[in-house]
Amino acid sequence: KMVDVVATGGVSPKDVGVVLAVGGSTRIPAVRQRIQDIFGTLPDTSVRPDEAVALGAALFAAQRQLEQGGALVMDADAREYLERLNVTDVAAHSLGVSVFDKQRRQVMQPILPRNTALPISQSRSFYTMRADETRIVVPILEGEELDPELCRRVGVVSVEGLPAGRSQHQE
């Protein structure tokens, strides 16, 4: 998965100069060894992994407060830093729906691919399988797999009141 993240960023492991260890799992020797195997160097452990995550969350919250005009009391240098800070929310995993493909196999159709900048508005057109369906149930999935069974079901949308007498879409 680390290689996937790097590739999605448009770089290769040899292009990465520093891997900063954040989060509790970076304390696990096997995780550090895997990082060394992929990047050719041990991760930088100069920060406390749990504190780094908390600090990042605090910086993000303070920046959002400033963007929304919140009255924060802070040092001028800290305010300037937060005003320059660029944070982009992204979808951690692909979000999509379970649909039937042309071969009538059930597949996960991504609507928002992982790493899509948020917020975003997206729309797609889908068609019913049979003419005269007046109600459909659409599972909402999270994951990277084509097989819906290997994705996490995060919700379901029920569309009711479709007009009778429609014909199904032909391709």
Side-chain angles (χ1 to χ4, degrees):
K1 296 289 181 182
M2 281 186 269
V3 174
D4 291 344
V5 171
V6 172
T8 300
V11 296
S12 71
K14 67 178 173 44
D15 298 323
V16 176
V18 175
V19 177
L20 183 62
V22 298
S25 63
T26 60
R27 288 190 183 96
I28 300 170
V31 171
R32 290 184 182 187
Q33 183 60 50
R34 183 73 177 129
I35 290 169
Q36 184 175 17
D37 293 347
I38 292 171
F39 296 99
T41 184
L42 283 170
D44 179 341
T45 57
S46 62
V47 298
R48 294 183 181 153
D50 298 318
E51 288 179 13
V53 173
L55 179 59
L59 286 170
F60 179 77
Q63 185 207 35
R64 293 297 169 171
Q65 281 293 99
L66 283 177
E67 285 177 356
Q68 295 170 3
L72 296 177
V73 177
M74 66 179 65
D75 182 71
D77 290 340
R79 180 178 294 273
E80 182 183 330
Y81 175 80
L82 286 174
E83 288 171 349
R84 287 188 325 232
L85 185 63
N86 181 18
V87 178
T88 303
D89 291 328
V90 298
H93 301 283
S94 295
L95 292 171
V97 294
S98 180
V99 299
F100 288 93
D101 65 9
K102 292 178 184 178
Q103 291 78 35
R104 296 192 181 254
R105 294 175 302 190
Q106 201 167 4
V107 297
M108 195 282 218
Q109 174 65 56
I111 304 293
L112 297 178
R114 74 175 171 195
N115 291 326
T116 298
L118 301 173
I120 188 169
S121 175
Q122 192 77 279
S123 67
R124 297 271 170 83
S125 295
F126 295 97
Y127 301 91
T128 58
M129 289 195 53
R130 292 175 295 283
D132 293 325
E133 286 182 282
T134 59
R135 178 179 183 265
I136 58 172
V137 177
V138 182
I140 309 300
L141 306 173
E142 176 184 71
E144 312 312 316
E145 302 296 330
L146 185 62
D147 182 349
E149 295 299 317
L150 299 175
C151 295
R152 182 172 164 250
R153 188 179 208 167
V154 295
V156 65
V157 173
S158 179
V159 180
E160 301 188 28
L162 295 173
R166 295 173 303 103
S167 61
Q168 71 189 75
H169 179 69
Q170 300 292 323
E171 285 193 30

